[in-house]
Amino acid sequence: MAGIEAGNSGFLGYFADLLGAPEPALRLLFTVLIGYPLALFHRHVLFGTAPIIQHLFFIISGIILGFYNYGFDMFHSILCLFIMYLILVTIGGKFSSVVISFLFFMGYLLIGYYYTGTDEYDIKWTMPQCVLTLRLIGLAWDVYDGQKSEEKLSEEQKKTALKRCPSLLEIGGHMYFFGGFMVGPQFPMKRYLNFVDGTFKEKIFDGNPSCITTGLKSLSQGILILSLQQLGSIFVPEKIFFTDDFVEFPYWKKLLIMGVWSKLVLYKYIAIWLIAEGSCILTGMTYNGTDKNGKDLWDGCTNVKLWYFTVTTTFQGGIRSFNHNTNLWLGQ
């Protein structure tokens, strides 16, 4: 997020220039933060109401946030919503639906990358489209798994398999849920449906539920990491490798800079994931049972294990701690 984007304007542009960040990045951060008041509104007003009302709330709020960031490029995700529903109602439950879903949505995303790609890292409609691509392909798999007999399913598949084809509103709510639409995390349709149906109600409204504390902790961690990342980018800017000074540095210093820079680059993703996850936790959707001491777990949508990622020195450690839910999706 380092570096000022030319053409920043208006109220948000002023703060983007002040912070030394591109305006689209600041707009995305603002959008993810809006997830917190939306989570509180859903929690105290809509939770426990008819599922159709909740689906519509998630669809409308998600599309509005999408338009705020990407304008009429939101058409791409809306088109994919209808294509996904069409695939499921016509051939859903068959392996061919999985193949068609994979080829279409992955192909659509790659074509989008081709036409929008530049020499810089751009925040465009392909960012949420990448999240949706995985989510929709995963949905096709879950419907396919749901048509198998129980004995043919693994324990992980039993947690996500769907016995019926979801409705258009259910798919839309799952796609545009404000806590995971813009940057993730990934979560299966079955978790979303359980949440809307009120499966975790007693955990969300029982006294002073721990999900509130955990959600705010995730928010504070995200803001702290983002602040440190921005500060570190001042001393190790992203374009340092293209400077004449870097060529003259001794070998050990080049390695040190590369190590610090690579961590800084990944920490901006970690920060936004933590902030987004906090709003998911606040809604209560991330409930994941209890630990061995009976303490409630709210890690059902965890995308990064912060401390593990910080101290790990192996590739395996990186895989287990970074983009965790996406890696879990791939494993399943």
Side-chain angles (χ1 to χ4, degrees):
M1 294 172 70
I4 300 175
E5 182 179 90
N8 287 350
S9 61
F11 181 77
L12 196 63
Y14 169 77
F15 280 100
D17 291 340
L18 187 66
L19 297 173
E23 186 174 340
L26 197 60
R27 188 182 298 115
L28 176 64
L29 175 61
F30 178 66
T31 302
V32 174
L33 287 171
I34 289 177
Y36 286 82
L38 289 176
L40 290 173
F41 176 79
H42 175 268
R43 173 190 194 89
H44 293 290
V45 178
L46 299 181
F47 189 84
T49 60
I52 186 173
I53 296 176
Q54 299 182 65
H55 298 321
L56 287 172
F57 171 70
F58 295 136
I59 293 171
I60 293 171
S61 59
I63 289 178
I64 290 175
L65 293 177
F67 267 100
Y68 172 66
N69 282 267
Y70 309 112
F72 285 99
D73 282 334
M74 276 295 296
F75 162 80
H76 298 287
S77 66
I78 295 173
L79 173 64
C80 288
L81 165 61
F82 284 97
I83 294 295
M84 181 78 260
Y85 180 69
L86 183 63
I87 291 174
L88 291 181
V89 296
T90 55
I91 53 175
K94 299 179 181 178
F95 185 69
S96 56
S97 68
V98 176
V99 175
I100 293 172
S101 298
F102 181 88
L103 292 177
F104 178 81
F105 295 117
M106 190 62 72
Y108 198 101
L109 178 64
L110 293 176
I111 292 172
Y113 283 147
Y114 177 79
Y115 281 102
T116 63
T118 66
D119 293 334
E120 302 292 332
Y121 182 83
D122 300 311
I123 297 178
K124 297 183 177 179
W125 65 269
T126 49
M127 176 179 287
Q129 189 68 28
C130 177
V131 177
L132 295 185
T133 295
L134 299 183
R135 190 166 296 164
L136 293 176
I137 295 172
L139 174 57
W141 272 108
D142 293 341
V143 174
Y144 170 64
D145 287 338
Q147 312 314 306
K148 301 176 184 177
S149 58
E150 285 288 319
E151 58 270 15
K152 292 184 178 180
L153 297 177
S154 68
E155 291 303 313
E156 288 297 326
Q157 288 173 325
K158 290 178 182 178
K159 297 177 183 178
T160 59
L162 297 169
K163 298 296 184 182
R164 63 174 178 85
C165 172
S167 69
L168 183 64
L169 285 180
E170 288 172 335
I171 298 173
H174 181 223
M175 281 179 58
Y176 291 116
F177 176 75
F178 55 80
F181 167 54
M182 301 300 290
V183 295
Q186 294 293 350
F187 51 88
M189 170 67 83
K190 198 166 186 177
R191 173 175 289 277
Y192 169 76
L193 293 178
N194 287 339
F195 164 66
V196 170
D197 290 340
T199 302
F200 313 136
K201 185 174 182 178
E202 71 281 2
K203 298 295 182 179
I204 298 174
F205 289 103
D206 184 16
N208 184 24
S210 58
C211 63
I212 296 179
T213 303
T214 307
L216 295 179
K217 178 182 177 181
S218 184
L219 170 63
S220 60
Q221 286 179 334
I223 293 175
L224 175 62
I225 292 296
L226 188 60
S227 301
L228 294 175
Q229 191 274 333
Q230 284 293 100
L231 182 63
S233 296
I234 297 175
F235 299 98
V236 188
E238 293 187 2
K239 295 184 179 180
I240 191 173
F241 303 107
F242 303 101
T243 63
D244 294 333
D245 290 339
F246 184 79
V247 177
E248 301 300 326
F249 287 154
Y251 185 64
W252 67 267
K253 191 172 184 179
K254 291 180 180 178
L255 292 179
L256 178 62
I257 291 174
M258 289 174 63
V260 173
W261 174 83
S262 63
K263 282 286 188 180
L264 286 174
V265 169
L266 293 178
Y267 272 125
K268 65 183 177 184
Y269 297 102
I270 288 175
I272 203 72
W273 285 341
L274 285 170
I275 295 172
E277 182 189 346
S279 65
C280 294
I281 295 172
L282 204 60
T283 64
M285 189 178 69
T286 65
Y287 181 70
N288 205 27
T290 58
D291 62 15
K292 60 182 179 181
N293 298 317
K295 182 180 178 181
D296 290 333
L297 296 173
W298 301 99
D299 58 357
C301 295
T302 296
N303 219 20
V304 60
K305 298 181 178 179
L306 183 58
W307 178 248
Y308 191 18
F309 173 79
T310 302
V311 301
T312 186
T313 57
T314 66
F315 286 113
Q316 185 64 30
I319 293 172
R320 290 182 179 275
S321 60
F322 183 83
N323 217 357
H324 178 265
N325 259 33
T326 303
N327 291 334
L328 177 63
W329 174 87
L330 288 170
Q332 291 172 339

